[in-house]
Each structure stands twice: as C-alpha cells, then as structure tokens.
Amino acid sequence: MESSRFLPEQAAPGKVRDRGLAALVERGRGAYNAKDGALFLLPQGRAERTVLREKLCFALESAGAVPVEGATEEGHLRSLAERYLRDHPDRNAWASVGQGEIRLAAWCREGEDASGLERVLVALTEEEKGNGAFRTFPETTPQGIRILWAAPSSEGAGAGRPGLRCPSCGTLLGEDSPREGAVRLEEGEEPGTLAEVTTPGATTIPELCRQLGIEAGRTLKTLVYSTPSGVAAALLRGDRELSCPKLERALGEPTERAAHDALVRFFGDVAGYCGPLGLPPEVRLLADRDLEGARNLVAGANRRDTHVMGVCLGRDLTPPLADLGAWKAGDPCPDCGALLEEGTLRVLGAFELFDPGRSPEKPLVTANREGKTERPRFWRGRIDLEALQLALEEGTSPCGNA
C-alpha cells in the first residue's frame, strides 16, 4: 500500500550542484553515493521511474513506434524491423526499453527523410507539455542533423552541457544549431573599388578593426583547413565563429586546421593576412550563408601587413554558400529577437538523422509479393530516463529553475 512505502526524510546531499538530484534525495525518492557518483532509486523513486517509462512508451507507440523489451544488443532492433516491416510498412521506428534509457532506431524509404521522427518528438513534447521549459532544437553534425530534447538546468547537472537560452521566449540552441537567413549590414551601399591598405601587425580582427576604425562585421576572415582531398578555406564575417561540424557536413569530409606548410604552399608565409582573392584552384572556397550579397568588406591580401578593402561577394568572388557560423551568447534569438544567454542544458534525449551516404547502417531491404523495398535513410535516438526524472524533480523543486 502507498501508506507503507519507504519514504525517508533526509537532507539534500552536500556539495551536489545538481538541483534535480538534490530535490530527489531530499524528498526520499533516492539515495546518492558521493564516492562513486551513483544514484540509487528508493521505492517511491523507482515507482515514479516506472510510471514515467510507461507514459513514454505509450506516447511513442501512439506516434507509430514499437516499444520492446529485451532488445539489449546491437542489431536487435534492426532484426525486429527486418522481421515485421514487410507486413507492417508503417512501423519503421522501433524502441528498446530499458531501466535507464529508451533507444530508438528507424529505417526510412527514400523521400521519408525523418519518417516517424517528427511524430515522436511531438509525442514527447505533448507528454511533458506541462513543463514549458522542455524544448527540442536541432544541431548540425558532420553526418547530418541531431535533434536534442533538453531543459535549462543548474550548473553541474547530470547529463548537462553548455548551451544557449532565450530569457524572453525560452528558445534553446546549441552553438552548432542551424542558422537561417543572412545578415545585411551593407543594405543600400554601392559596391566600392578594391584597394589595398597597409595594416602593420594587424594579424587579428580586433587589431584590424582598431587600425581601420571599422566593426568586426565589416571584415572577412579566411580560415584554412586541411581535408583528405586537399585544402579548404572557410569564409566568415569577422564577428562570427566557425562551426566545425557545419564545415565538415558542407565539405563532406573531416577537417583539421591547416599546418604551416600547407598555408605557405597555397597562401605564402602570411599568417594573419590570408584572404580569398587570387588563390590557386586547388583551394576549395566555401562561404558562410551570412555573406550572401555582402559588399565592401576588408579581407587579407595574402601579403604581410596588407589587407584589401571593398571586397564584394558576387563580383570579386562567387564561392558556394553554406551555413557555417556558430551561435554565441549575445546573438539575437531567432524566434523573438531577444539576446541569447549562456547556460547549462540538461539533455533528456538525442535523435540523429543521417544524410544520404553518411549513415552508419547499411540500407534495410524487405521483400513481399510486390517486390523488394529498400530503406536507405536511417535515424536513431536515445531518451535518458534518469535525466528526465531529475529534470522533472528540478522543475517541481522550490530551488529549481525550469
């Protein structure tokens, strides 16, 4: 009976910064071993975890996924999908239900880029719609897109990671989240003429801006990377930082900062003065989407102590455009325009959608009387039940910040 359930009164564990963990222990739902960082669920906490797991399974099943128990090894979910997809083609998402996590995998036909994934995310959001701080947001990976289900949390939270949050509307982002649209700093300006300017010792954006009396957004920086196929140069405004996962996804291959020898070979011994003009065709140029139509920028001249003014994209160079820029604190929120703030995000779940040709899984093929059906698109996910339980505790605790 509920009245006989073991529910001890106990103080929050000392030196624990995770507010959700502190609240769970203080309310008698669990015990924490600081020596090895282990959380033990007491009867009430275990009962609440069971209810939470069953609610999620119901939500996933209503979204078209098939929850199963016992699929503990790599390949079990694929084996089940191969067995049943032939006669149940709409059940392409399978979920392995464990004590601490739920793992999902799905195999989609061409044109079904994220078949079932959107329904799953909607189901999760609806299931916890009373917790308005729980949000999903995308991040770019070298292989495709990762969608995170997260909640703002205290520093030191379990399953926590750095992130960005809008203090006005609650939007959550990561530094590698996709950016939409372009910044138009030069709207209405007439294209200027190219002109070299002497900039002694201006090997950094702040020093260049100091010497020329301009803002960082009016500069064009050239970041050089080595790839298995050669050398690539990423172009961004001087006030933007590069997202390496976005660059690798756009290039379709891994990258690393170019060594000094590679810089000298293609640009000369001009560290700090690399620019995009007059480069040999072996250098693969790629520009951030924010540079579309940009005019009158200042770029390196590929000579020491020299920059070029008046650089215009579309006139002086026409590199392919891609989303390369990283988000940072102080950027306007894409939903309401308020300035984003740094914070800790507790990751409740992560879902990876792979680009064609970059999946770790080979295509799944099913056959019936009508012939064979190939499912080359693959996505997978994981829901962290402990992180979700602690986030719920943090949200209901007087000291919570959700």
Side-chain angles (χ1 to χ4, degrees), residues 378-393:
F378 174 69
W379 64 263
R380 66 187 178 193
R382 176 182 179 271
I383 300 171
D384 186 334
L385 294 175
E386 180 175 299
L388 179 55
Q389 188 171 11
L390 294 181
L392 291 169
E393 287 285 346

Side-chain angles (χ1 to χ4, degrees), residues 198-205 207-209 211 271-273 305-307:
T198 300
T199 52
T203 57
T204 65
I205 296 296
E207 177 59 19
L208 177 63
C209 293
Q211 290 192 23
Y273 294 94
D305 299 331
T306 308
H307 281 81

Side-chain angles (χ1 to χ4, degrees), residues 164-167 173 327-334 338-342:
L164 299 166
R165 181 175 185 268
C166 176
L173 292 171
W327 289 92
K328 64 181 186 300
D331 284 343
C333 171
L339 300 185
L340 297 172
E341 297 178 351
E342 293 180 342

Side-chain angles (χ1 to χ4, degrees), residues 308-351:
V308 179
M309 304 179 68
V311 176
C312 300
L313 271 77
R315 182 194 69 182
D316 304 316
L317 68 162
T318 55
L321 299 173
D323 176 21
L324 301 180
W327 289 92
K328 64 181 186 300
D331 284 343
C333 171
D335 294 325
C336 73
L339 300 185
L340 297 172
E341 297 178 351
E342 293 180 342
T344 298
L345 305 182
R346 193 194 301 269
V347 177
L348 316 177
F351 305 85

Side-chain angles (χ1 to χ4, degrees), residues 6-321:
F6 180 66
L7 193 63
E9 294 183 5
Q10 49 193 7
K15 298 182 180 180
V16 170
R17 295 189 296 169
D18 187 327
R19 294 175 180 171
L21 176 57
L24 184 139
V25 171
E26 194 170 13
R27 298 201 310 130
R29 269 65 176 168
Y32 179 68
N33 187 340
K35 185 176 181 180
D36 57 9
L39 171 63
F40 306 104
L41 289 180
L42 298 178
Q44 184 64 30
R46 186 178 61 82
E48 292 175 356
R49 172 79 63 86
T50 299
V51 171
L52 180 61
R53 182 169 55 247
E54 291 306 309
K55 287 173 62 179
L56 288 174
C57 286
F58 180 80
L60 292 172
E61 193 166 9
S62 68
V66 183
V68 299
E69 290 193 21
T72 57
E73 296 183 11
E74 192 77 22
H76 279 174
L77 293 182
R78 182 185 179 94
S79 176
L80 288 167
E82 289 174 330
R83 180 178 303 183
Y84 293 108
L85 267 173
R86 181 186 67 183
D87 298 322
H88 304 275
D90 58 328
R91 297 288 185 169
N92 68 333
W94 291 75
S96 172
V97 183
Q99 292 299 310
E101 66 175 9
I102 298 176
R103 294 183 295 108
L104 296 100
W107 292 263
C108 312
R109 290 171 291 204
E110 202 66 59
E112 297 179 333
D113 288 357
S115 177
L117 179 54
E118 183 175 350
R119 294 194 303 273
V120 166
L121 294 173
V122 169
L124 294 177
T125 303
E126 284 295 309
E127 184 61 36
E128 298 301 336
K129 61 185 177 182
N131 298 281
F134 291 13
R135 302 292 179 95
T136 60
F137 64 93
E139 282 190 326
T140 303
T141 72
Q143 295 80 29
I145 291 291
R146 177 193 300 118
I147 298 176
L148 298 180
W149 185 32
S153 187
S154 55
E155 185 179 354
R161 49 153 284 180
L164 299 166
R165 181 175 185 268
C166 176
S168 178
C169 69
T171 290
L172 303 181
L173 292 171
E175 66 175 17
D176 300 315
S177 292
R179 298 178 63 92
E180 300 295 336
V183 177
R184 301 294 186 185
L185 296 181
E186 310 87 17
E187 198 73 43
E189 286 188 12
E190 291 297 322
T193 57
L194 292 176
E196 291 190 351
V197 58
T198 300
T199 52
T203 57
T204 65
I205 296 296
E207 177 59 19
L208 177 63
C209 293
R210 188 194 68 79
Q211 290 192 23
L212 299 183
I214 59 175
E215 297 180 355
R218 303 306 296 263
T219 66
L220 176 63
K221 60 183 177 184
T222 304
L223 304 176
V224 187
Y225 284 80
S226 294
T227 72
S229 65
V231 172
L235 309 181
L236 295 96
R237 291 184 184 273
D239 59 349
R240 296 245 61 89
E241 297 299 327
L242 176 68
S243 163
C244 289
K246 291 182 181 183
L247 177 62
E248 293 189 357
R249 187 188 186 197
L251 293 173
E253 53 186 345
T255 65
E256 61 180 11
R257 287 302 296 264
H260 179 71
D261 291 348
L263 285 173
V264 171
R265 177 184 174 190
F266 293 103
F267 292 82
D269 191 7
V270 292
Y273 294 94
C274 294
L277 302 182
L279 296 179
E282 294 91 339
V283 178
R284 184 178 176 185
L285 279 181
L286 194 63
D288 184 38
R289 188 182 296 149
D290 277 357
L291 289 169
E292 182 178 7
R295 301 174 179 176
N296 304 327
L297 301 181
V298 179
N302 296 319
R303 290 208 312 277
R304 284 187 176 277
D305 299 331
T306 308
H307 281 81
V308 179
M309 304 179 68
V311 176
C312 300
L313 271 77
R315 182 194 69 182
D316 304 316
L317 68 162
T318 55
L321 299 173

